[in-house]
Amino acid sequence: MNTPSRRRILTTALAFGLVGCGRQQSDESIVGTVPPTGSSVADGKQALERLRLGNARFVAAQEQDLDEGIARRIAVSKGQHPFATILGCVDSRVPIELVFDQGLGDLVVVRSAGGALDQSVIGSLEFGVAELHTPLLLVLGHQRCGALDATIKALDRPTAHPGKLGYLVDTLAPAVRQISGKPGDRLTNAVHVNVTHVLAELRRSPVIAPLEQSGKLQLAGAYYELDTGKVTLET
Ligand SMILES: [Zn+2]
């Protein structure tokens, strides 16, 4: 964490006029020797802690570890050891690596609108935990999720959706139906209920369930607040 990021080094280099000025300079010379950021973690607890620290940097706008530079790219080109598999929404305001201040090779990220599960999404998550051996599988919901909002509206007033949008609504609907009668904001409730629902569905996977039962994998849910950038673990 004490190692300056490529971005910071590059910023410094720009400030000192080391870049440009009509002559080409290799990025490698600017980067220097940036160590890989994807060092392994022992278990899901450590993975969660690493995500927590990264999110704290993101919230404070003090990103240090994000590294997408040449040195890092070369370091991970021969293999990968990501430490967490994360399912998030496609929402443009919730880019997973940025939210957790992680770089190349750190995370297996699967995104679908509302975190909707289908066979490809589940298979991709299974790939992350079983083939890439991440000790953590995190399901990340977020504030004001448009996909879940659309599903609430569709359940209130059934409409025909073009393309595969209807499939998406149908997939998210079982979780959204569970908010019926609950006090509080419906959309916020839907996001939380959906995370719980997705985790329960994932625990039915014949790949994921045994890994969790053996203690090799931890499953967790979390909530991203758009207003603050903060990620909070679901209890
Ligand atoms: Zn969303």
Side-chain angles (χ1 to χ4, degrees):
M1 199 182 304
N2 294 326
T3 307
S5 70
R6 172 190 178 270
R7 182 167 294 172
R8 180 164 297 176
I9 294 169
L10 187 54
T11 305
T12 307
L14 286 165
F16 284 89
L18 297 176
V19 185
C21 302
R23 78 184 172 88
Q24 293 290 320
Q25 180 169 0
S26 80
D27 200 28
E28 188 65 37
S29 65
I30 299 168
V31 170
T33 52
V34 179
T37 59
S39 55
S40 62
V41 295
D43 52 28
K45 192 177 168 190
Q46 284 189 12
L48 274 175
E49 178 62 7
R50 193 163 158 190
L51 291 178
R52 188 188 68 77
L53 291 171
N55 179 245
R57 293 192 299 272
F58 173 74
V59 169
Q62 293 180 344
E63 293 91 340
Q64 293 183 31
D65 284 349
L66 179 63
D67 189 355
E68 71 281 18
I70 290 177
R72 177 70 181 145
R73 196 174 72 221
I74 291 170
V76 298
S77 65
K78 304 294 188 291
Q80 57 177 320
H81 303 284
F83 70 90
T85 297
I86 300 179
L87 172 63
C89 181
V90 296
D91 195 298
S92 63
R93 301 163 296 179
V94 196
I96 307 297
E97 281 89 348
L98 294 182
V99 161
F100 290 111
D101 189 28
Q102 301 300 320
L104 294 177
D106 287 333
L107 303 175
V108 178
V109 174
V110 182
R111 296 174 71 175
S112 65
L117 293 178
D118 65 11
Q119 293 187 29
S120 293
V121 170
I122 296 173
S124 300
L125 295 170
E126 289 176 345
F127 181 77
V129 299
E131 299 297 326
L132 298 176
H133 309 292
T134 68
L136 176 68
L137 172 53
L138 184 75
V139 176
L140 182 66
H142 73 93
Q143 189 180 24
R144 293 192 284 274
C145 179
L148 288 166
D149 189 40
T151 304
I152 291 172
K153 291 185 169 78
L155 290 178
D156 285 348
R157 181 177 294 186
T159 357
H161 294 87
K164 299 296 183 189
L165 291 172
Y167 170 82
L168 195 56
V169 166
D170 290 345
T171 304
L172 294 170
V176 171
R177 284 196 188 94
Q178 293 178 36
I179 66 170
S180 176
K182 286 182 187 286
D185 179 69
R186 293 174 79 200
L187 180 51
T188 304
N189 288 342
V191 174
H192 291 298
V193 166
N194 187 54
V195 168
T196 304
H197 177 81
V198 167
L199 284 169
E201 288 294 307
L202 291 176
R203 287 192 166 100
R204 296 171 60 187
S205 155
V207 173
I208 294 170
L211 284 170
E212 185 184 30
Q213 284 156 14
S214 70
K216 292 177 181 167
L217 174 67
Q218 181 174 345
L219 268 64
Y223 180 81
Y224 176 79
E225 191 174 61
L226 291 174
D227 294 339
T228 61
K230 188 169 170 47
V231 173
T232 309
L233 272 185
E234 301 275 80
T235 52

